[in-house]
Each structure stands twice: as structure tokens, then as C-alpha cells.
Amino acid sequence: MRGHQALIAMRLRGVCPSAAFLTVGTDPDKLWQDWPTANPWSVIAQVEIPERDALTSLDFRFLVGLPVHVHGKDADRTLKVAQMSLDAGAKAVCVVTTGDFKGAFIGEGETQWRDF
């Protein structure tokens, strides 16, 4: 996983971005690399979860209280990351894939994913 270290450091300083975008797979634009310095406000955190990362070894607690957008090509893996984000305490999660599954959302206080 890449890009999360800057988010953890930010949160330890008491600063919180508006949201986090998680790319499941390779981020061709490498947004995870530049988000902390790309704009002076670091409004939206960008995190990449490469295919080589074992999901069971990842800790998503840095997402607590944040709205999270998860996107990727591998529907199963992307949906797992979305659920892990929610389980870690994300405020709301929107998940979108380019595979058979298209998208779903779960908001704060909701217990059911809603397809869109």
C-alpha cells in the first residue's frame, strides 16, 4: 500500500483531509505519490493498493471518520477493500469497478450497501 503514510502523518498532526480515494491495483497517474504536496490544502488523500499486497496484511484505521471512494478493475478485490474500509471506521464508502459489478454506496449509520 502506498500513499497512506502521508495520511497517517497528517492525522497525527490533527489535520484531516476531506476524503480518501483508494485505487485497488496500479494507479497509472501515481496520485498516491503527489497528493500531499500537489495542493496546499491536501484536500483528498490518494492511496494505491497494488496487486502484490495481501489484503489480510493491510490496516485501514487511517480511514476512520473519512468518506472513502474505492475504485479498481478487479471487482472481488475492490469490494473486499471497500468492506475493509467500512469495517475500519470509514464514515461512508462508495465503491466502483470496471468489471461485472458497477457500484455501491453505504453511508454513515446505514447497514446495507445500495447499488447504483
Side-chain angles (χ1 to χ4, degrees):
M1 185 160 48
R2 302 190 283 192
H4 66 294
Q5 299 94 341
L7 178 52
I8 291 169
M10 176 188 258
R11 300 213 58 184
L12 287 173
R13 291 191 315 269
V15 181
C16 188
S18 300
F21 276 62
L22 307 183
T23 301
V24 180
T26 303
D27 176 1
D29 298 320
K30 297 188 181 345
L31 296 173
W32 62 270
Q33 223 171 15
D34 299 330
W35 78 264
T37 57
N39 68 65
W41 309 282
S42 298
V43 176
I44 298 175
Q46 303 278 344
V47 176
E48 178 190 70
I49 304 164
E51 293 86 355
R52 69 178 177 273
D53 288 359
L55 295 183
T56 55
S57 69
L58 302 180
D59 182 352
F60 291 100
R61 288 179 290 173
F62 59 87
L63 298 173
V64 169
L66 289 178
V68 177
H69 175 88
V70 183
H71 63 275
K73 294 179 182 175
D74 181 333
D76 289 337
R77 188 170 168 86
T78 303
L79 288 168
K80 285 178 188 168
V81 169
Q83 187 62 51
M84 291 171 74
S85 301
L86 184 65
D87 293 344
K91 182 177 186 176
V93 180
C94 177
V95 57
V96 179
T97 69
T98 54
D100 293 336
F101 174 83
K102 294 301 178 199
F105 175 82
I106 190 164
E108 188 173 15
E110 295 180 339
T111 57
Q112 295 282 87
W113 286 91
R114 290 182 278 139
D115 291 343
F116 60 84

